[in-house]
Amino acid sequence: MRERTVGTTPPRVMAVAGTDSGGGAGAVADLRAFAACGVHGCLAVTAVTVQNTVAVTGVHTVPPETVAAQIEAVATDIGLDAVKTGMLATPAIIEAVAWACDRAGIGADGPTPLVVDPVAASMGGDQLLADEALDVYRTILFPRATVIMPNLDEVRLLVGIDVHDRSAQYDAAKMLHGFGARYVVVKGGHLVEDTDVCVDLLYDGTTFTELPGPRFETGNTHGSGDNMAAATASALARGMSVPDAVAFGKRFIVNAVRASYSLGSGHGPVSPLWATPQWW
Ligand code: PXL
């Protein structure tokens, strides 16, 4: 007699993201983090990047209608419990994602939460977002977002504040919240005044919550934003509140940076594998 299968359908989460041929960031990081968080990962590819640990040497974007079609195909069959966006590359793709999300009930006003990581550049400074796309983020995608999670480089591009201390981090959170996202997380990884801690700041328009974590001595932080946002989306898909889901994302990324490893001759990746059993 054949054995019965025992799988239980896990929460379903989609990444809308670009690929990283080096396997450390973008869609690859998202899917690894989803697996480590015990959810079923789906993917709408926005761009193929040619990159290793040193540089991004090519970006080939997917037609906006194909990005939207991937979201629609999955939402109408598999169903989605949360969505996270990463590299969206162009204004037309951001708009296509916004309209596809509206049709599928994805976003702050629908049943499916939307986490927006407004990816603008790689760790090495290679541009992953067209300059004209910033305004589309601010006016079209942010108002639909359950939570946006920019790092300080992205904050500078989005609101023109160079965050050097905690008080500027608070100011930036207030300005970003003005664009309409229900929650804002201003990540503090690039805040050099914090030498031993890394404080992410959550703001809901009324209350600020500081999320402190250790700062590690490592250059291997490639993919850290992707992993944190993917873990946050996974927690939302399980039905956690936004503050609890962001705290879960923070705990996930602290452990992933602790487990980060060297790869190639550039920046190695953080490791979502810290959360997976080593059965081999
Ligand atoms: O970590 C941000 C990011 C997102 N998506 C892609 C990337 C990167 C950083 O390099 O390459 C495809």
Side-chain angles (χ1 to χ4, degrees):
M1 206 165 70
R2 285 192 280 181
E3 188 187 345
R4 279 186 175 278
T5 63
V6 293
T8 304
T9 307
R12 305 144 299 174
V13 187
M14 171 171 263
V16 184
T19 61
D20 166 8
S21 45
V28 189
D30 294 332
L31 293 177
R32 297 205 310 163
F34 289 156
C37 291
V39 301
H40 176 82
C42 302
L43 175 63
V45 180
T46 56
V48 173
T49 74
V50 181
Q51 68 174 293
N52 54 26
T53 64
V54 181
V56 180
T57 53
V59 174
H60 303 272
T61 56
V62 169
E65 57 276 16
T66 307
V67 176
Q70 293 173 83
I71 297 170
E72 195 150 2
V74 171
T76 53
D77 169 43
I78 295 170
L80 287 166
D81 299 300
V83 172
K84 73 138 290 205
T85 65
M87 175 186 178
L88 298 183
T90 68
I93 293 177
I94 301 174
E95 285 183 23
V97 168
W99 309 145
C101 285
D102 283 356
R103 279 196 298 276
I106 299 160
D109 292 329
T112 307
L114 176 65
V115 178
V116 174
D117 176 11
V119 172
S122 73
M123 268 196 77
D126 296 301
Q127 196 164 345
L128 299 175
L129 183 72
D131 293 332
E132 324 80 76
L134 291 169
D135 207 43
V136 186
Y137 258 122
R138 287 185 289 247
T139 57
I140 294 186
L141 203 55
F142 287 174
R144 291 170 161 78
T146 308
V147 53
I148 62 172
M149 308 183 77
N151 65 30
L152 295 186
D153 291 334
E154 291 150 2
V155 166
R156 190 177 335 101
L157 291 170
L158 288 163
V159 295
I161 298 186
D162 220 343
V163 174
H164 286 300
D165 57 24
R166 188 84 58 240
S167 121
Q169 196 177 7
Y170 275 68
D171 291 343
K174 275 193 203 156
M175 284 181 76
L176 284 160
H177 192 268
F179 295 121
R182 302 310 184 268
Y183 290 81
V184 173
V185 178
V186 175
K187 293 180 291 186
H190 299 177
L191 187 50
V192 284
E193 97 164 359
D194 288 333
T195 50
D196 296 324
V197 289
C198 171
V199 180
D200 298 333
L201 183 65
L202 173 69
Y203 182 56
D204 65 3
T206 310
T207 307
F208 290 97
T209 308
E210 291 188 8
L211 297 153
R215 184 176 289 276
F216 296 96
E217 187 55 51
T218 179
N220 297 331
T221 54
H222 185 49
S224 47
D226 316 65
N227 272 274
M228 183 173 177
T232 301
S234 301
L236 289 172
R238 290 192 186 288
M240 283 190 201
S241 68
V242 175
D244 286 352
V246 172
F248 176 93
K250 176 73 175 177
R251 196 156 61 85
F252 187 84
I253 193 57
V254 165
N255 283 291
V257 177
R258 183 181 284 119
S260 63
Y261 49 87
S262 297
L263 201 68
S265 54
H267 295 290
V270 302
S271 181
L273 302 179
W274 73 267
T276 54
Q278 301 204 350
W279 55 270
W280 59 91

